[in-house]
Amino acid sequence: MHHKVKPGAPPARSTDGNKNLEFPGQALYPKAAMTKQAQSPAATKTSALAVWGLVLLTALAAWHFTACFLPWYTGQRAEHFARRLHDLSSLRAALADYHAKYGRYPANAGFDGAIGPKGETKNDWLPELAGEFLPALPRDPAGTSDPDKQYLYHGDGADYKIIVHGSGDCALARKAHPDMVDPTRDCWAYGFWTPGAANW
């Protein structure tokens, strides 16, 4: 015999309390499985050791950087800076000798260096100087193929400008030889120039 349920009427409640009442998912997720288990002492110790291991590795990496890489980088930077100063002085002396002999400075169309716009190498980037006044034209000690990071020269016969461009060590020049910092390029370049070429 079937009992009709009136529309909107609440379902009949069990008279036996809640012991037979099941909720969706109760069979799939027993109460014991849904309870968060406390972490064991061994797992806690392992986690602590992992954290301390990470701290130790970080400290060792920092020590290696400070003790090994930083002195090497600082030393190489100072060595390159000294070499650039030497090269600039040699070029300036050669230009003075050239001017004393010919009454003018080597002329070109614009700033030029040993590395061309497409990365090609040029041995005569400062015309008429190598051979008679210098054994060979120097190149930036970094040895890069970037045309924006090299020695650059421009002369019009009456004046000239020779600079180290984009070397990244202009702060050293600013500290040791502030008069060598290019007034046009600020700390992107430093070098020597005649008064008429200061703003080139």
Side-chain angles (χ1 to χ4, degrees):
M1 183 175 180
H2 298 282
H3 297 280
K4 293 183 179 180
V5 180
K6 294 181 179 180
R13 295 186 178 181
S14 171
T15 57
D16 298 331
N18 294 329
K19 64 180 181 179
N20 295 324
L21 188 62
E22 291 188 356
F23 297 94
Q26 184 176 350
L28 295 176
Y29 304 101
K31 184 176 181 180
M34 297 175 66
T35 304
K36 185 177 180 180
Q37 296 182 355
Q39 195 173 23
S40 66
T44 302
K45 184 177 180 180
T46 302
S47 299
L49 289 175
V51 171
W52 279 109
L54 183 60
V55 171
L56 180 60
L57 286 175
T58 303
L60 286 174
W63 174 85
H64 185 270
F65 176 83
T66 304
C68 301
F69 177 77
L70 192 59
W72 171 83
Y73 174 76
T74 303
Q76 185 187 58
R77 190 170 180 230
E79 181 181 347
H80 283 182
F81 178 65
R83 170 70 180 279
R84 289 174 180 126
L85 291 181
H86 177 269
D87 289 345
L88 286 175
S89 297
S90 298
L91 289 168
R92 181 175 64 169
L95 287 166
D97 292 341
Y98 182 98
H99 188 273
K101 182 175 182 178
Y102 295 106
R104 60 181 178 84
Y105 295 109
N108 59 6
F111 280 99
D112 200 7
I115 306 299
K118 297 181 180 180
E120 69 276 15
T121 302
K122 297 181 292 182
N123 295 323
D124 58 345
W125 57 274
L126 204 167
E128 305 176 44
L129 207 62
E132 184 177 1
F133 300 95
L134 280 175
L137 295 177
R139 291 186 58 179
D140 189 277
T144 178
S145 59
D146 187 343
D148 288 331
K149 298 179 180 180
Q150 61 172 333
Y151 300 157
L152 295 174
Y153 172 83
H154 177 37
D156 65 356
D159 293 287
Y160 78 87
K161 194 172 200 176
I162 180 76
I163 57 175
V164 177
H165 189 273
S167 60
D169 60 358
C170 188
L172 298 177
R174 186 187 294 278
K175 183 177 180 180
H177 305 282
D179 56 314
M180 292 180 64
V181 176
D182 191 335
T184 302
R185 297 164 184 82
D186 193 24
C187 226
W188 273 99
Y190 58 92
F192 296 117
W193 48 84
T194 56
N199 294 323
W200 288 1

